[in-house]
Amino acid sequence: MNEQVIRKFVIVKGIVQGVGFRPFVYNLAQHYDVQGEVNNTQQGVEIDVQGSLRGVTNLINQIKSNPPTLAQIEEIIINQLQSTNYQHFKIKDSTDDNEQLTFVTPDAALCSQCQEELLDGDDRRYRYPFINCTNCGPRFSIIESIPYDRESTTMSDFSMCEDCLSEYQDPTSRRFHAQPNACPDCGPQLLFLCKKPNGLALGSRTQLFT
Ligand SMILES: [Zn+2]
Ligand SMILES: [Zn+2]
């Protein structure tokens, strides 16, 4: 029995970039077995989704009722499209061909999961001051232009190490597409400068972390 296939084009406006919205939609698409793509544009987040009526409807309902923690949806525009031949669901690289501006996401305080890692002596980000994830960390402070992608932030100067990159590429990771993702091996460092009687001394990481 063939279930009816529908295709919708959804534009989500508001604070929707830098809050894990694309990975959130990607995971929903996997869960509801629908195809298409999600994209950051200067309008916000655009979702082209095709699949069973039930799958597409559930996905849109989840976006409305259960968006990522830091997202603030202002408006959702939904249009019906002719079905096409999508085989998978993918996250598209951001485009910047629209003229309307989206909201810039504010920085967010440390989330409880990152705090746990920060204080866990066995964690590779133990006491790493720039720890962050999709639910917390810098946004406004690092954004140089939108759409929000790592290349358009001050993090573009830092290449992710293997471990960070695998988190960034893993849809099940809390750091999937987390643009400021970093660790002590690959991210920014903090130096402690202290004024000693004989001048200015450069602190070491050991000093900083004690
Ligand atoms: Zn976090
Ligand atoms: Zn790293």
Side-chain angles (χ1 to χ4, degrees), residues 109-115 131-137 174-175:
L110 192 69
C111 75
S112 56
Q113 284 167 297
C114 284
Q115 187 174 2
I131 189 169
N132 69 82
C133 76
T134 308
N135 299 322
C136 73
R174 194 168 99 251
R175 298 193 167 91

Side-chain angles (χ1 to χ4, degrees), residues 7-203:
R7 180 182 175 201
K8 300 262 186 182
F9 190 75
V10 184
I11 302 173
V12 188
K13 297 186 177 190
I15 298 180
V16 290
Q17 295 186 5
V19 296
F21 216 96
R22 288 180 299 171
F24 161 71
V25 174
Y26 175 89
N27 281 313
L28 285 178
Q30 303 302 314
H31 182 73
Y32 292 121
D33 192 24
V34 293
Q35 290 74 47
E37 57 192 30
V38 59
N39 191 14
N40 267 349
T41 72
Q42 292 195 359
Q43 297 230 64
V45 168
E46 294 181 358
I47 306 150
D48 189 349
V49 57
Q50 174 172 304
S52 66
L53 177 62
R54 180 198 296 231
V56 172
T57 307
N58 282 338
L59 179 134
I60 293 171
N61 285 343
Q62 280 296 314
I63 290 171
K64 287 178 182 165
S65 62
N66 193 22
T69 317
L70 297 179
Q72 278 183 41
I73 296 175
E74 300 286 331
E75 189 183 3
I76 300 182
I77 301 162
I78 304 171
N79 287 302
Q80 184 108 19
L81 292 181
Q82 289 285 328
S83 58
T84 180
N85 59 346
Y86 280 128
Q87 303 294 321
H88 308 283
F89 195 91
K90 65 172 184 183
I91 294 181
K92 264 180 73 173
D93 286 337
S94 299
T95 56
D96 54 5
D97 53 0
N98 280 301
E99 287 184 2
Q100 264 177 295
L101 291 185
T102 188
F103 293 84
V104 174
T105 313
D107 297 342
L110 192 69
C111 75
S112 56
Q113 284 167 297
C114 284
Q115 187 174 2
E116 248 173 58
E117 293 172 353
L118 183 74
L119 303 175
D120 175 359
D122 293 329
D123 194 275
R124 67 191 190 90
R125 292 188 179 85
Y126 179 54
R127 292 188 173 179
Y128 179 56
F130 302 105
I131 189 169
N132 69 82
C133 76
T134 308
N135 299 322
C136 73
R139 302 290 184 275
F140 180 79
S141 300
I142 61 166
I143 290 173
E144 294 187 313
S145 64
I146 53 172
Y148 176 65
D149 270 323
R150 190 168 174 107
E151 293 67 43
S152 49
T153 71
T154 54
M155 292 300 291
S156 64
D157 290 339
F158 298 90
S159 302
M160 275 183 269
C161 68
E162 223 172 271
D163 288 341
C164 286
L165 191 62
S166 71
E167 293 168 334
Y168 183 86
Q169 292 171 337
D170 174 6
T172 64
S173 166
R174 194 168 99 251
R175 298 193 167 91
F176 182 48
H177 278 243
Q179 307 304 345
N181 193 21
C183 77
D185 289 337
C186 66
Q189 302 292 327
L190 188 65
L191 288 173
F192 178 66
L193 299 165
C194 65
K195 198 173 181 188
K196 292 199 166 166
N198 55 352
L200 203 62
L202 194 61

